[in-house]
Amino acid sequence: MRSVGIITFHYALNYGALLQSYALQKAIAALGYDIAIIDYRPTWDRSSEWSLLQRVEWRSRQVVKRALGLTGHQERQRKAERFRRERLRLSSETYLDAASLHRKPPVFEAYVVGSDQVWNPLIQRSDPAYFLDFAPPGKKRISYAASFGLSV
């Protein structure tokens, strides 16, 4: 069977990202491909790029949420992890940065990047992995509904 690897935001703590990962996996599998989501979990440190105002704003919102009893981060994280474990078919290897993808690239006949804002530089900071630069020469590279998510 032909194999396809998907690279997407499957590890975001965002239900929309999880659901689109699952939907893309199911859609490609329904076409008869052996599918896996490349378990890419980059460890970007966004806090170093946030302005002081952004950090104060974020912390203020967290304080208000706690005061109103609206916290649920741990519960949300638990549900997301359970969904990943039960619904997503992840690659056997976990990759924490683009260099690890280059050292030992996952082997597929084709590679798909998508969907949604996988090319948004404010989210993924122009990470070359989301441009499939790790895919071996001669392999198909496909973009599915990828966007930059920014208007110019």
Side-chain angles (χ1 to χ4, degrees):
M1 182 181 280
R2 299 173 293 178
S3 62
V4 174
I6 300 171
I7 189 164
T8 188
F9 293 149
H10 77 285
Y11 209 69
L13 189 53
N14 175 297
Y15 293 143
L18 283 171
L19 290 173
Q20 75 78 22
S21 299
Y22 179 67
L24 183 57
Q25 168 189 283
K26 293 292 278 183
I28 295 174
L31 296 172
Y33 294 93
D34 184 24
I35 193 83
I37 293 175
I38 298 166
D39 195 8
Y40 184 53
R41 305 176 188 188
T43 54
W44 306 311
D45 179 14
R46 293 170 167 263
S47 62
S48 64
E49 292 187 2
W50 283 12
S51 69
L52 177 60
L53 181 59
Q54 286 172 313
R55 282 183 274 192
V56 168
E57 235 176 77
W58 183 83
R59 286 189 180 120
S60 298
R61 278 182 281 174
Q62 300 312 307
V63 169
V64 170
K65 284 180 180 180
R66 280 190 204 106
L68 296 174
L70 299 176
T71 59
H73 181 76
Q74 290 163 336
E75 176 67 12
R76 190 173 173 190
Q77 204 165 21
R78 187 185 63 73
K79 287 179 180 180
E81 189 53 45
R82 181 176 169 204
F83 184 86
R84 276 187 214 97
R85 188 178 56 252
E86 293 177 1
R87 305 284 180 179
L88 299 184
R89 182 162 182 244
L90 300 178
S91 62
S92 56
E93 186 86 23
T94 298
Y95 301 91
L96 300 178
D97 56 30
S100 63
L101 277 168
H102 281 277
R103 276 192 305 275
K104 189 178 176 188
V107 179
F108 296 100
E109 292 178 42
Y111 299 81
V112 175
V113 61
S115 64
D116 204 12
Q117 297 188 40
V118 291
W119 293 339
N120 184 331
L122 299 177
I123 295 173
Q124 56 91 324
R125 302 183 5 205
S126 300
D127 185 333
Y130 292 102
F131 296 95
L132 301 174
D133 74 329
F134 61 89
K139 298 292 182 170
K140 284 195 178 219
R141 297 172 185 165
I142 302 161
S143 165
Y144 175 77
S147 76
F148 289 95
L150 301 172
S151 44
V152 189

